[in-house]
Amino acid sequence: MGEQGGRTVLAVLGAGTMGLGITSLAVGHGVPVVLVETDRAKVGRAREAVAAQLRMARLMRALPEDRERGELLTTTSLADVADVSLVVEAVTEELPVKAEVLAGAAALTGPRVPLVSNTSSIPIDELAGHVPDPARLIGTHFMNPPYLIPTVEVVRGARTGADALETLVGVLGELARTPVVVGDGPGFVTSRIVHPMINDAIRVVQEGTASVEAVDALMQDCLGHRTGPLLTADLIGLDNLADSLRVLAERTGDPRSAPCELLLRKVRDGHLGRKSGRGFYDYGKAQL
């Protein structure tokens, strides 16, 4: 699969929660996707997971009804991204892992193909030092689930080029997403503000001040938080949240961002949120 008659072809690297969500968004808007995942078990489940997200999105009228689904290629080989229009990296929130994947994608794709990191906390300019042409690298922060939340945080690093930004904004337009462009820094805007707040909410539960349900009810009904911080944590994935908080704590020195013990205990116990079937709430069975 390559560029088809001038049409956009997206590569998504990583079939975790966000990789699958971004893939579903693109396929649902008729954009072909090459989904790369080195874990063969995850590759085997990817099509079913994307199909389930597409069904839910259509039930919620979150996708255009007049477009055929984009073609989906699932693969374990990074070499299959050679002819795509844009690469979105959505692997685990660890600098060495992201750097290796982005460098590999940079070597396989053309010089005008943007490399997009869907990181939640790692500064884009840190990642840019690991690719041959830093001007190609730009950040996005899709929210979960991507098909339901129409605004995307776009992070322009100090070395991000105008061409990469223009191409990414154009692709987001094809996906009916609204970009909000911000500058670089640990956590950018959304994670820098929201993730420590969620950590504080978990700490309130840890200390016995209030139940999970009470915290979410107060934040929703009194302060207008759409889902409540603890339900949001389950949607993010508690392992992903803990990783993001570690990045923030290391790079800002803010002790408030250090993952609290209750969060770490849930991660150790495998209670990772909606994707595992249990986090701060019980979902009955794994969702992916």
Side-chain angles (χ1 to χ4, degrees):
M1 181 191 296
E3 289 193 87
Q4 302 171 353
R7 294 180 59 204
T8 297
V9 180
L10 197 66
V12 177
L13 312 182
T17 299
M18 291 311 301
L20 290 170
I22 295 166
T23 297
S24 301
L25 171 68
V27 169
H29 280 82
V31 175
V33 175
V34 178
L35 176 60
V36 183
E37 170 57 62
T38 57
D39 184 329
R40 291 187 180 278
K42 285 186 177 181
V43 171
R45 297 192 297 267
R47 286 187 176 277
E48 181 181 351
V50 169
Q53 290 204 29
L54 289 172
R55 286 194 296 271
M56 179 60 71
R58 293 200 183 281
L59 283 172
M60 301 182 76
R61 299 185 181 279
L63 293 174
E65 298 182 1
D66 59 347
R67 293 190 202 174
E68 294 185 4
R69 292 182 182 178
E71 183 183 352
L72 173 60
L73 170 65
T74 58
T75 178
T76 59
S77 176
L78 190 61
D80 288 320
V81 308
D83 297 320
V84 302
S85 314
L86 183 140
V87 175
V88 179
E89 168 272 307
V91 301
T92 188
E93 193 74 0
E94 297 179 20
L95 179 60
V97 179
K98 288 183 178 292
E100 180 180 1
V101 167
L102 287 165
L108 289 164
T109 52
R112 295 182 62 83
V113 174
L115 306 169
V116 181
S117 178
N118 190 63
T119 176
S120 60
S121 296
I122 299 173
I124 295 304
D125 207 50
E126 282 190 37
L127 292 166
H130 297 273
V131 297
D133 183 2
R136 294 172 61 190
L137 189 67
I138 190 167
T140 60
H141 190 191
F142 285 86
M143 307 299 159
N144 189 33
Y147 63 76
L148 200 57
I149 301 178
T151 301
V152 177
E153 187 175 26
V154 172
V155 185
R156 187 171 188 176
R159 291 178 276 180
T160 299
D163 288 348
L165 176 60
E166 181 180 356
T167 300
L168 174 59
V169 168
V171 171
L172 290 173
E174 290 186 52
L175 304 180
R177 303 299 95 175
T178 300
V180 175
V181 181
V182 302
D184 200 10
F188 324 118
V189 175
T190 52
S191 295
R192 183 69 178 269
I193 294 170
V194 173
H195 287 191
M197 181 273 287
I198 295 174
N199 201 35
D200 281 343
I202 298 169
R203 194 174 286 115
V204 165
V205 174
Q206 174 182 298
E207 294 169 353
T209 303
S211 68
V212 168
E213 294 79 7
V215 170
D216 275 355
L218 288 168
M219 292 297 290
Q220 286 176 290
D221 298 339
C222 296
L223 298 179
H225 193 284
R226 185 180 297 181
T227 56
L230 299 169
L231 182 57
T232 299
D234 279 356
L235 286 169
I236 293 170
L238 302 190
D239 52 343
N240 298 332
L241 175 62
D243 288 342
S244 176
L245 285 165
R246 288 190 188 97
V247 170
L248 286 174
E250 290 168 1
R251 286 159 175 79
T252 66
D254 180 5
R256 179 174 167 238
S257 295
C260 69
E261 179 54 33
L262 177 56
L263 173 59
L264 295 175
R265 185 163 70 244
K266 284 189 172 291
V267 172
R268 288 194 298 268
D269 290 343
H271 301 159
L272 306 182
R274 190 172 180 85
K275 64 184 177 183
S276 71
R278 183 177 177 187
F280 288 101
Y281 293 90
D282 190 342
Y283 302 93
K285 62 179 181 178
Q287 302 297 302
L288 296 179

